Amino acid sequence: MTSLSRELVFLILQFLDEEKYKDTVHKLEQESMFFFNMKYFEDQVHAGEWEEVERYLSGFTKVEDNGYSMKLFFEIRKQKYLEALDNQDREKAVEILVKDLKVFSSFNEELFKQITQLIPLDNFRENAQLSKYGDVKSARDTLLVELKKLLEANPMFRDKLQFPALKAARLRTLINQSLNWQHQLCKNPRPNPDIKTLFVDHTCTPSNGCRVPMASSNPLMGTDPKGAAFPPFITQNLNQPLPFQPTGAAASSLAAWMTNPISAAPHATGSAGPVSLGPMPNAA
């Protein structure tokens, strides 16, 4: 993928976030694998939304990718398991043990046995390794500290934890600049052009702005767009020269960007130390 295509995805992410398309934003974050939204991840962990925590994380890495990823999933599932035990919900705890934690027995059978032995205890804090386990809120806070360390050390998340610094409404600004450029090409430019569509290039007509022909059966006809309109169209000095037209290598580069499909970057690999029942060592 070219850098321009990658940047376009970030512009779309910003636009979707500004327009409050929250579910779509996080889906695109996952599908592109360009940006892991730490704030969203933190909010889900604090809320104990474990299914969503794993679903979002799974868009970027799998248990078997490397040791850091294995620890990420193990710590999340262990916390879910301990919370079920703390609520005296042994049925749910057993379900988590069988469906979520048993996969780790192939990596560390002894650890899985230790986890299983917590089931009959009235209070799992009787286990020496878990004696300092506090309430749910403090446990989730502690978990997040460890998860952040693992994410930062995991090669699967390299260059994916920081969103680019963008001015607000950057995509809208670029579109408005494009409309200004198109208006400069009009043979009979109107002082206050009425832009009706972005589907085709703008052209001033004697009576009105350009309209895109659309069939009456189009399902989008009559629907109201979500969010605010684009910034007001601002005409530039038509005596100014037209923007630079790329030629040669620059034109070829832009042409390649316009035609090459967007594809996600391949996964990297890495390793980490073993998982454990008690507090984890620093992941660095």
Side-chain angles (χ1 to χ4, degrees):
M1 165 173 288
T2 66
S3 61
L4 287 178
S5 294
R6 180 184 176 90
E7 290 179 6
L8 178 59
V9 172
F10 281 111
L11 292 177
I12 295 172
L13 284 172
Q14 182 197 46
F15 174 80
L16 292 172
D17 183 66
E18 290 172 341
E19 294 298 303
K20 310 302 181 185
Y21 291 102
K22 297 301 184 182
D23 292 340
T24 308
V25 166
H26 302 312
K27 187 63 177 178
L28 181 55
E29 289 167 351
Q30 287 182 296
E31 290 190 346
S32 67
M33 294 195 299
F34 288 160
F35 176 63
F36 182 84
N37 193 323
M38 186 70 79
K39 177 63 169 60
Y40 176 71
F41 185 71
E42 290 177 5
D43 289 344
Q44 299 308 303
V45 171
H46 277 135
E49 297 291 342
W50 304 118
E51 297 302 320
E52 177 59 16
V53 168
E54 280 213 33
R55 187 197 67 79
Y56 186 70
L57 183 63
S58 295
F60 296 86
T61 188
K62 308 299 180 187
V63 173
E64 64 275 10
D65 280 341
N66 57 52
Y68 297 110
S69 297
M70 183 181 68
K71 276 190 174 185
L72 280 166
F73 284 98
F74 173 77
E75 293 301 324
I76 291 168
R77 295 175 186 182
K78 184 181 76 173
Q79 180 62 30
K80 181 168 63 169
Y81 175 67
L82 294 178
E83 289 186 15
L85 288 176
D86 213 21
N87 292 329
Q88 301 301 314
D89 191 344
R90 283 185 171 80
E91 182 178 349
K92 182 177 180 180
V94 170
E95 180 182 348
I96 296 170
L97 185 68
V98 174
K99 291 185 177 180
D100 298 334
L101 290 169
K102 188 174 177 57
V103 65
F104 298 102
S105 63
S106 59
F107 298 103
N108 191 327
E109 186 175 355
E110 181 59 30
L111 176 60
F112 183 72
K113 289 180 180 179
Q114 293 179 31
I115 295 174
T116 302
Q117 291 168 0
L118 299 177
I119 293 285
L121 299 179
D122 292 332
N123 188 337
F124 62 79
R125 294 171 183 81
E126 296 173 19
N127 183 291
Q129 296 185 65
L130 298 169
S131 60
K132 295 183 179 180
Y133 184 97
D135 58 14
V136 169
K137 183 180 183 303
S138 62
R140 290 176 182 175
D141 289 341
T142 301
L143 172 65
L144 262 176
V145 172
E146 300 300 334
L147 295 181
K148 285 182 180 180
K149 291 178 182 178
L150 290 169
L151 287 167
E152 291 169 358
N154 195 332
M156 303 296 293
F157 294 86
R158 187 172 295 132
D159 300 326
K160 298 178 182 179
L161 301 178
Q162 188 69 37
F163 198 86
L166 301 174
K167 291 185 178 180
R170 178 59 181 160
L171 185 58
R172 292 175 179 274
T173 300
L174 290 175
I175 292 175
N176 194 60
Q177 290 172 351
S178 173
L179 292 174
N180 274 285
W181 178 77
Q182 293 170 25
H183 187 58
Q184 291 183 55
L185 301 181
C186 292
K187 293 182 179 179
N188 300 296
R190 296 169 60 85
N192 296 296
D194 186 14
I195 306 299
K196 295 295 186 181
T197 181
L198 297 176
F199 292 165
V200 296
D201 288 349
H202 160 72
T203 301
C204 287
T205 61
S207 59
N208 207 333
C210 180
R211 295 178 181 269
V212 59
M214 299 181 72
S216 59
S217 60
N218 192 311
L220 295 180
M221 292 289 286
T223 59
D224 293 327
K226 187 174 181 180
F230 280 89
F233 181 85
I234 303 173
T235 56
Q236 297 176 347
N237 186 346
L238 299 185
N239 293 322
Q240 294 179 349
L242 293 178
F244 169 71
Q245 300 294 319
T247 59
S252 298
S253 176
L254 286 175
W257 173 70
M258 294 296 290
T259 58
N260 286 342
I262 294 178
S263 59
H267 284 297
T269 58
S271 61
V275 294
S276 64
L277 181 61
M280 298 189 308
N282 290 340

